[in-house]
């Protein structure tokens, strides 16, 4: 499973990249706003931080303008994945940009039908938003399971990139289902390491070690 970090916060990306667990980054207009940075400048900086795919999202809504924006974003670095929304024009842009050999991440996916179209349009990644489906009372992870089954049925090569991840459970459930990638906020990725029994067990080990009076170094 690949881990992408869902943020445009360069410091947070750098910290996780140093651990060696970051396979890519995803951004979107809201994350760019949150960063307070210029999209071209911060995206270029992120691309230099991680060797894997860095998703940068177009903001046009008509296919021709999406394609023009996508080409400009793709020119920033060799590891850019152009992000387009799952609309009819986004699918048109995906078909053209992927046909030019560019990585495309089709985002804002909320149904299996949408995911089928994205695969047919040559998407490199499909981004189903599990958290936002949960928010409206649907089961976001059920969509991931459906897409996995459909893509496997027809050997689609589009990678399932689970997005809108809000919890460690989302990550582990995505892994059980066999999603290719999860993109998660830094805090969720860090939370994966935490467990109260680990903390309690380590405390007990250290207390017992102290009673041995020994040192290793
Ligand atoms: O990658 C999409 C993600 O940034 C959206 O997350 O929590 O706003 O649904 P959220």
């Amino acid at each position: 499973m690949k881990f992408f970090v869902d943020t445009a916060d360069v410091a947070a990306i750098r910290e996780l990249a140093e651990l060696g667990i970051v396979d890519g980054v995803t951004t979107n207009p809201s994350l760019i706003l949150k960063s307070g940075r210029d999209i071209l400048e911060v995206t270029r900086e992120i691309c230099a931080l991680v060797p894997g795919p860095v998703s940068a999202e177009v903001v046009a809504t008509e296919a021709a303008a999406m394609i023009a924006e996508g080409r400009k974003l793709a020119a920033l670095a060799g590891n850019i994945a152009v992000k387009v929304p799952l609309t009819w024009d986004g699918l048109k842009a995906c078909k053209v940009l992927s046909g030019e050999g560019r990585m495309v991440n089709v985002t804002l996916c909320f149904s299996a039908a949408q995911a089928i179209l994205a695969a047919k349009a040559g998407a490199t990644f499909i981004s189903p938003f599990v958290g936002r489906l949960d928010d409206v009372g649907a089961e976001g992870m059920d969509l991931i399971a459906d897409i996995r089954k459909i893509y496997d049925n027809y050997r689609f090569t589009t990678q399932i990139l689970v997005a809108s991840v809000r919890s460690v459970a989302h990550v582990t459930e995505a892994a059980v289902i066999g999603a290719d990638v999860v993109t998660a906020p830094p805090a969720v990725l860090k939370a994966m390491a935490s467990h109260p029994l680990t903390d309690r067990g380590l405390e007990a080990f250290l207390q017992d070690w102290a009673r041995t009076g020994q040192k290793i170094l």
Side-chain angles (χ1 to χ4, degrees):
M1 169 175 267
K2 294 180 199 143
F3 284 161
F4 289 5
V5 188
D6 195 38
T7 185
D9 179 335
V10 170
I13 295 167
R14 186 177 289 114
E15 182 188 6
L16 285 167
E18 282 166 0
L19 182 57
I21 63 166
V22 173
D23 300 299
V25 175
T26 53
T27 70
N28 60 44
S30 302
L31 294 172
I32 295 297
L33 172 65
K34 192 174 178 183
S35 76
R37 301 277 304 273
D38 170 82
I39 182 173
L40 302 180
E41 180 189 288
V42 72
T43 303
R44 200 180 285 115
E45 192 172 335
I46 293 170
C47 287
L49 272 179
V50 296
V54 174
S55 291
E57 190 161 341
V58 302
V59 291
T61 54
E62 303 297 321
M66 287 169 144
I67 292 164
E69 287 182 349
R71 286 170 177 157
K72 181 167 186 179
L73 292 171
L76 292 173
N79 54 331
I80 286 280
V82 178
K83 225 181 191 183
V84 298
L86 214 154
T87 61
W88 201 251
D89 280 83
L91 292 168
K92 285 181 185 175
C94 178
K95 189 69 181 173
V96 170
L97 292 168
S98 62
E100 294 172 349
R102 305 177 198 282
M103 285 192 284
V104 182
N105 179 356
V106 179
T107 190
L108 287 170
C109 172
F110 294 96
S111 75
Q114 287 180 318
I116 294 170
L117 288 175
K120 298 284 289 181
T124 313
F125 303 105
I126 181 67
S127 291
F129 278 34
V130 296
R132 295 192 189 183
L133 282 166
D134 293 350
D135 290 345
V136 295
E139 280 297 327
M141 295 315 290
D142 287 351
L143 174 58
I144 303 303
D146 289 347
I147 297 172
R148 179 73 286 158
K149 183 168 176 49
I150 293 167
Y151 278 20
D152 291 350
N153 286 347
Y154 300 101
R155 295 188 176 81
F156 286 140
T157 57
T158 299
Q159 296 179 56
I160 302 170
L161 195 170
V162 181
S164 186
V165 166
R166 309 278 180 76
S167 66
V168 171
H170 275 158
V171 179
T172 49
E173 286 171 34
V176 168
I177 292 167
D180 302 284
V181 190
V182 290
T183 192
V188 170
L189 290 178
K190 283 185 172 179
M192 291 178 69
S194 305
H195 196 292
L197 289 179
T198 303
D199 299 341
R200 208 179 305 165
L202 181 58
E203 188 179 337
F205 283 162
L206 296 178
Q207 285 171 359
D208 290 347
W209 178 252
R211 292 172 58 196
T212 70
Q214 299 180 43
K215 288 191 183 304
I216 293 176
L217 294 178

